[in-house]
Amino acid sequence: MEINTAISALGALAQEHRLAAFRLLVRVGEDGMAAGDLARSLAVPHNTMSTHLSVLSQAGLITSQRNGRSIIYRIVPDVMRDLLGFLADDCCQGRPELCGIAVPGKTSTSTCC
Amino acid sequence: MEINTAISALGALAQEHRLAAFRLLVRVGEDGMAAGDLARSLAVPHNTMSTHLSVLSQAGLITSQRNGRSIIYRIVPDVMRDLLGFLADDCCQGRPELCGIAVPGKTSTSTCC
DNA sequence: TATTTATTTCCATATGTCTGGAAATATCGA
DNA sequence: TCGATATTTCCAGACATATGGAAATAAATA
């Protein structure tokens, strides 16, 4: 993962409503959720939520797809996985105990280190 | 990890110079690094770097300790580990394949799920 | 076509962040 | 005590972000 990709993903998640929306989308999985339902669920005005969703979208963390009058948002699993891998990467260069996570399929071994 | 802790940690890392400083501190490990050395290494003015270090510090990601004229900064491994766990948490509630990481010691099993 | 529903875009305001010059504080060595 | 070194704090300008009212766009339905 490129450093600028990581920065915009971290920045996108570093906001109360966006983090909440992202976590909700993660939980609902590939069914996704309409913009209006997200706004209602999180008690955020629709236009404000729309702005936040576009930030998450531009960071590549979610995608949108029109379905009739609604626009369905879904997470992009790969980007989240890459971000976790990116954050874990450094500590695994020499000091695995600092990160304490394992990333399957990262290399030949079954841990990130 | 509390949600506000996560937000400030994410926000602290979502900036070019801070992310670079943090990653450098992760790489040097518990030896840590002086504020001036960090500024020089990353080609950032000392006062600007000082501000960034205080943001990382307030987010709990690093700590400081005076050593003579220098102030040594070190990462706080637990907070990084907690943040990774926090981000991984949601996707592991039902959709482990989305997160693709394992957090040892998370529960009784050896993976986060 | 007109109406309702769903969402986005436009816009202005308020607030927060990034930056670096200059001054203040702290420590060491002479 | 003085000067040099290391770092922080203060400050102000430039820029970016968050918010929500109002209008615009898009789609379904009658």
Side-chain angles (χ1 to χ4, degrees):
Chain A
M1 170 177 267
E2 198 163 343
I3 197 143
N4 288 317
T5 313
I7 290 172
S8 63
L10 289 165
L13 295 174
Q15 206 278 342
E16 183 188 354
H17 300 315
R18 287 198 297 264
L19 183 56
F22 181 75
R23 297 180 84 195
L24 187 44
L25 286 176
V26 167
R27 263 173 271 141
V28 301
E30 62 189 18
D31 287 350
M33 204 163 168
D37 290 340
L38 281 163
R40 232 165 289 121
S41 295
L42 304 175
V44 174
H46 53 294
N47 51 355
T48 301
M49 180 52 75
S50 180
T51 305
H52 286 316
L53 290 171
S54 99
V55 172
L56 287 167
S57 194
Q58 281 200 272
L61 289 162
I62 63 177
T63 44
S64 60
Q65 183 186 25
R66 181 173 279 278
N67 184 324
R69 274 182 286 211
S70 298
I71 291 179
I72 309 298
Y73 283 90
R74 291 183 185 81
I75 69 153
V76 178
D78 289 355
V79 178
M80 167 140 192
R81 190 162 30 214
D82 288 357
L83 179 61
L84 288 165
F86 176 86
L87 291 173
D89 233 26
D90 293 294
C91 56
C92 295
Q93 297 173 198
R95 326 198 95 249
E97 76 280 10
L98 298 186
C99 104
I101 72 169
V103 179
K106 179 92 187 26
T107 62
S108 50
T109 74
S110 68
T111 75
C112 59
C113 319
Chain B
M1 169 175 270
E2 198 163 340
I3 196 144
N4 288 317
T5 312
I7 290 171
S8 62
L10 289 165
L13 295 175
Q15 206 278 341
E16 184 188 354
H17 298 315
R18 287 198 297 264
L19 184 55
F22 181 75
R23 297 181 85 193
L24 188 43
L25 286 175
V26 166
R27 261 173 272 141
V28 301
E30 61 188 21
D31 287 348
M33 203 164 170
D37 291 340
L38 281 164
R40 231 165 290 122
S41 295
L42 303 174
V44 174
H46 53 295
N47 53 354
T48 302
M49 179 52 77
S50 179
T51 306
H52 286 316
L53 290 171
S54 101
V55 172
L56 287 167
S57 193
Q58 282 199 272
L61 290 163
I62 63 177
T63 45
S64 60
Q65 184 187 22
R66 181 174 280 276
N67 184 325
R69 276 181 282 213
S70 297
I71 292 180
I72 309 298
Y73 283 90
R74 289 184 186 82
I75 70 153
V76 178
D78 290 356
V79 177
M80 168 140 190
R81 190 163 29 215
D82 287 359
L83 179 61
L84 288 165
F86 176 87
L87 290 173
D89 232 29
D90 292 293
C91 56
C92 295
Q93 298 171 199
R95 326 199 95 248
E97 76 280 10
L98 297 187
C99 104
I101 72 168
V103 179
K106 179 92 188 25
T107 62
S108 51
T109 75
S110 68
T111 75
C112 60
C113 319

